[in-house]
Amino acid sequence: MANRMSDLFSNSRLVIGLLANLLSSICIVFINKWIYVHYGFPNMTLTLIHFVVTWLGLWVCQKMDIFAPKSLQPTKIIWLALSFCGFVAFTNLSLQNNTIGTYQLAKVMTTPVIIVIQTMYYKKTFSTKIKLTLVPITLGVILNSYYDVRFNLLGMVFATLGVFVTSLYQVWVGVKQHELQVNSMQLLYYQAPMSSAFLLSLVPFFEPLSGEGGIFGPWSFPALAMVMLSGLIAFLVNLSIYWIIGNTSAVTYNMFGHFKFCITLLGGYVLFQDPLSLNQGLGILCTLAGILSYTHFKLAEQEEGKSKLVQRP
């Protein structure tokens, strides 16, 4: 009975974490879209502000005794911080040098690359059933972006680097929490300012600092208010990402990311009247089928693992 109550509590926390990430991620996509379209705020600078606000939010949390900071050596998390900057830089460069379709198609390759990294370097095993769920998900993304896929050498280089660095970042988020024996807040508290400093050094190479469209440009109060709102929501997004990966896995978070992609497409159709073709509708169904299959097989494997533990003398 105690075990069942513990499982129910753990599952409830997981559902709350996933819902928090789902709602905050969808909100931030549409708020950021509003900021880019109506104010032309620079993309990488906005990400930098997101991480600064995330660190400030965590600082407030630790002052309120919500969590206790744990002393960590900077050398232990420097590669995690650098991989975040690489993930932001290469993702932006991929988006700038590829069509949306090519960009989305490259992003879906993050999941198999994570599986390869965890299998080769961390000796983690994945069943054939789990691996096969990638087929309908990849097919779904191809159907969604088929007519917008265009290949060019520079774009492919940035897309490939983006997928590799993003995969490393997501794997390391989980690995570092277990390796350093810290929770999501404790790790993010140290990584956020370090990543902000690295990202600040990259911004001048990609975006103007002053004048029209620069971070120190003449922004209106409504623009700054929307940027701050975006930063507060980003705090929830970043915290929930770390919490989900730390309590599940990078692969599970990626599968959830594909689900958010489907919801975002549907949200754009419902809220902004974005066109949704038959191919995109079929793509969403394929992707959702893959996600549901992954969830079913993952839960079945977890139940099987618990049964084996109970049967042991």
Side-chain angles (χ1 to χ4, degrees):
M1 182 65 179
N3 287 336
R4 286 185 180 180
M5 289 300 293
S6 176
D7 289 344
L8 182 61
F9 179 69
S10 298
N11 290 335
S12 299
R13 288 180 63 204
L14 180 58
V15 169
I16 291 170
L18 291 171
L19 281 175
N21 182 261
L22 174 65
L23 295 174
S24 57
S25 296
I26 292 172
C27 282
I28 205 168
V29 165
F30 292 119
I31 288 174
N32 287 355
K33 183 177 180 179
W34 181 274
I35 291 170
Y36 298 144
V37 170
H38 292 276
Y39 303 114
F41 202 86
N43 182 295
M44 195 172 290
T45 300
L46 186 62
T47 304
L48 171 61
I49 291 171
H50 286 173
F51 252 67
V52 171
V53 173
T54 295
W55 179 78
L56 289 173
L58 288 167
W59 182 81
V60 171
C61 287
Q62 64 96 9
K63 287 295 182 183
M64 296 171 63
D65 294 326
I66 294 174
F67 77 99
K70 186 174 180 179
S71 181
L72 298 175
Q73 293 180 8
T75 53
K76 295 286 187 181
I77 57 172
I78 189 169
W79 287 109
L80 177 65
L82 283 170
S83 66
F84 169 78
C85 296
F87 143 64
V88 172
F90 288 127
T91 298
N92 278 287
L93 287 168
S94 175
L95 189 56
Q96 288 173 15
N97 291 275
N98 289 305
T99 61
I100 296 294
T102 308
Y103 170 76
Q104 291 291 357
L105 189 58
K107 273 184 69 177
V108 81
M109 298 310 296
T110 303
T111 312
V113 171
I114 285 174
I115 289 176
V116 170
I117 291 172
Q118 290 191 319
T119 302
M120 291 181 64
Y121 294 99
Y122 296 99
K123 309 305 177 187
K124 189 170 182 179
T125 57
F126 298 88
S127 67
T128 303
K129 289 178 181 179
I130 293 293
K131 293 175 184 176
L132 286 175
T133 60
L134 296 175
V135 175
I137 291 172
T138 306
L139 178 61
V141 174
I142 291 172
L143 285 170
N144 267 301
S145 52
Y146 175 73
Y147 293 106
D148 195 32
V149 173
R150 303 286 187 277
F151 296 105
N152 68 81
L153 181 59
L154 185 61
M156 287 305 298
V157 169
F158 287 136
T160 302
L161 289 171
V163 168
F164 179 69
V165 176
T166 301
S167 302
L168 279 177
Y169 174 65
Q170 292 186 8
V171 169
W172 284 344
V173 165
V175 168
K176 288 298 179 182
Q177 288 188 54
H178 294 288
E179 177 189 314
L180 302 173
Q181 292 297 297
V182 292
N183 61 34
S184 53
M185 283 186 157
Q186 290 170 327
L187 182 60
L188 193 53
Y189 183 71
Y190 281 93
Q191 191 243 311
M194 193 179 290
S195 289
S196 298
F198 289 139
L199 201 55
L200 182 61
S201 67
L202 289 177
V203 167
F205 295 100
F206 294 94
E207 297 169 353
L209 293 178
S210 59
E212 192 70 27
I215 185 172
F216 300 114
W219 299 106
S220 64
F221 177 77
L224 294 176
M226 289 298 289
V227 167
M228 288 310 299
L229 176 61
S230 176
L232 291 172
I233 297 173
F235 168 62
L236 294 176
V237 173
N238 290 327
L239 192 58
S240 60
I241 287 173
Y242 271 56
W243 190 87
I244 291 168
I245 293 177
N247 286 272
T248 57
S249 69
V251 174
T252 297
Y253 172 71
N254 249 261
M255 291 294 183
F256 190 62
H258 299 316
F259 175 69
K260 289 188 292 186
F261 171 63
C262 294
I263 297 297
T264 303
L265 280 179
L266 291 171
Y269 173 71
V270 173
L271 299 176
F272 296 98
Q273 283 74 54
D274 289 346
L276 192 68
S277 67
L278 177 62
N279 268 10
Q280 287 178 310
L282 291 173
I284 289 171
L285 289 176
C286 278
T287 304
L288 290 175
I291 294 165
L292 288 172
S293 300
Y294 173 83
T295 304
H296 170 74
F297 293 137
K298 194 70 178 175
L299 289 173
E301 287 180 3
Q302 287 176 352
E303 287 299 320
E304 186 180 341
K306 289 176 184 176
S307 299
K308 287 181 179 178
L309 286 174
V310 171
Q311 290 171 8
R312 284 181 180 177

